[in-house]
Amino acid sequence: EIVQHFPLMIGGSADLTPSNNTKTKHHKEISAYNYDGNYIHYGVREHAMAAIMNGLALHGLLPYGGSFLIFTDYARPAIRLSALMKLRVIYVMTHDSIGLGEDGPTHQPVEHLASLRAIPNMRVYRPSDAIETAECWELALANQSGPTILALSRQALKKQRHLGNEANLAARGAYILKEAKHDISVTIYATGSEVQIASETAELLEEKGHGVRVVSVPCLNTFFEQDMEYQMMFTCNKSLKVAIEAGSHFGWERVIGPHGLFVGVPTFGESAPYQKIYEHFGITPKEISLRIVGLLGKICE
């Protein structure tokens, strides 16, 4: 849909077009023999792809390019220059976690979300479902002051919301996805594919009488830029703060505080079906709910 409405948009991928799903029926390939197109096969050249996209943006075009999130390592210098020059470049980085599965730790990003969020002028979006993905694309297209990274999952995800709300809920970086049914005792923050796990964890805890609020955080960068009143609405109640993200904990201390619980990946990934890897790292509703109940017991003491 987007490609049809943006004639200056140039798509592409670094040799991962079928995996990134960046090419549509509305694309025509650009080649050495045909420049009348809007899609580039960059080959296994992540750094060159990012550098070329910077040049396209400087010429007034709207470039986006795809790869796996872990391969931002190869493109890092050019990505940093996108941010330094405040260029309107969109990076579609898929396979964003241990959810990649069998390809193992060489392909599973761990520290990448944290390190990319640390780049000034960078917007890092990790949407939880199709609706948030559309919202994040809208925000990326509207971003005129710097690059955007869309960190997208490999595995299929259940829809967390239904259409009908005209507001773009991802626009402020975080929002309440599910409110507690009982007096709030736990606040769970999550991004991307872990939002579904957070929602299922909340259901288990609510069944035990614990009030759980679920906050979806598609963009930490944007959330930290909101006024203090908005931030405090999510972080200053007396509930136990829990963050779930299949990656490094860096940056989450600002949200959950020094005594909050972070559920993530403290080391490199593993090679196995992704469900098994989530179980290995304890990122499952059952395991997380048990840890939360244990902590609530200590807090009550």
Side-chain angles (χ1 to χ4, degrees):
E1 291 300 319
I2 294 170
V3 171
Q4 297 180 78
H5 296 282
F6 286 83
L8 295 180
M9 177 176 275
I10 304 293
S13 176
D15 201 48
L16 290 167
T17 291
S19 298
N20 298 145
N21 289 331
T22 44
K23 188 173 184 287
T24 76
K25 63 182 180 181
H26 303 292
H27 279 111
K28 295 180 180 179
E29 297 178 8
I30 296 172
S31 71
Y33 309 101
N34 178 25
Y35 288 89
D36 183 22
N38 58 354
Y39 193 86
I40 301 173
H41 289 287
Y42 289 99
V44 190
R45 302 179 183 90
E46 291 86 359
H47 175 73
M49 177 181 74
I52 290 168
M53 287 197 293
N54 287 343
L56 293 172
L58 288 168
H59 273 277
L61 299 173
L62 175 55
Y64 76 86
S67 186
F68 288 0
L69 182 62
I70 197 165
F71 297 143
T72 55
D73 281 345
Y74 298 127
R76 177 82 51 156
I79 289 175
R80 189 174 187 272
L81 285 174
S82 301
L84 192 153
M85 292 189 286
K86 300 181 179 180
L87 297 179
R88 190 186 184 198
V89 175
I90 301 173
Y91 298 96
V92 182
M93 298 302 182
T94 68
H95 298 60
D96 66 349
S97 73
I98 54 174
L100 174 54
E102 292 83 350
D103 278 357
T106 59
H107 284 55
Q108 293 169 14
V110 175
E111 75 280 15
H112 296 72
L113 288 169
S115 64
L116 291 166
R117 287 169 179 152
I119 300 175
N121 302 328
M122 177 66 71
R123 286 286 179 273
V124 180
Y125 292 103
R126 190 172 186 238
S128 65
D129 65 1
I131 293 175
E132 273 194 10
T133 300
E135 290 180 334
C136 292
W137 259 108
E138 180 182 32
L139 296 168
L141 292 167
N143 182 11
Q144 301 282 348
S145 60
T148 301
I149 287 181
L150 299 174
L152 307 177
S153 71
R154 175 205 189 193
Q155 67 272 33
L157 302 176
K158 294 181 180 178
K159 189 182 294 183
Q160 298 300 307
R161 283 171 33 211
H162 296 283
L163 294 172
N165 191 328
E166 293 182 0
N168 185 322
L169 297 186
R172 301 192 75 175
Y175 64 93
I176 298 172
L177 177 65
K178 294 184 178 180
E179 189 54 279
K181 298 177 183 177
H182 306 282
D183 291 340
I184 182 170
S185 59
V186 181
T187 302
I188 303 178
Y189 310 87
T191 73
S193 44
E194 286 75 69
V195 172
Q196 179 176 321
I197 294 172
S199 296
E200 293 173 3
T201 300
E203 291 175 7
L204 292 176
L205 292 169
E206 290 278 357
E207 290 173 2
K208 298 179 183 294
H210 301 290
V212 184
R213 170 186 285 175
V214 177
V215 179
S216 179
V217 191
C219 187
L220 263 180
N221 310 78
T222 302
F223 176 60
F224 290 147
E225 291 176 357
Q226 302 306 302
D227 60 74
M228 194 54 61
E229 182 180 356
Y230 188 79
Q231 293 188 44
M232 290 174 66
M233 183 174 70
F234 297 94
T235 58
C236 283
N237 56 64
K238 295 182 179 179
S239 64
L240 171 67
K241 309 298 191 301
V242 180
I244 308 174
E245 185 170 73
S248 169
H249 70 279
F250 284 106
W252 282 104
E253 300 91 340
R254 187 171 169 183
V255 177
I256 63 175
H259 304 298
L261 171 64
F262 179 78
V263 180
V265 181
T267 181
F268 294 110
E270 299 289 346
S271 181
Y274 77 90
Q275 298 94 333
K276 295 292 184 182
I277 305 178
Y278 273 86
E279 292 174 7
H280 172 78
F281 286 110
I283 311 177
T284 65
K286 181 179 179 180
E287 181 65 27
I288 297 169
S289 62
L290 288 173
R291 292 180 67 182
I292 290 173
V293 169
L295 283 173
L296 287 173
K298 292 179 181 179
I299 291 173
C300 291
E301 293 172 3

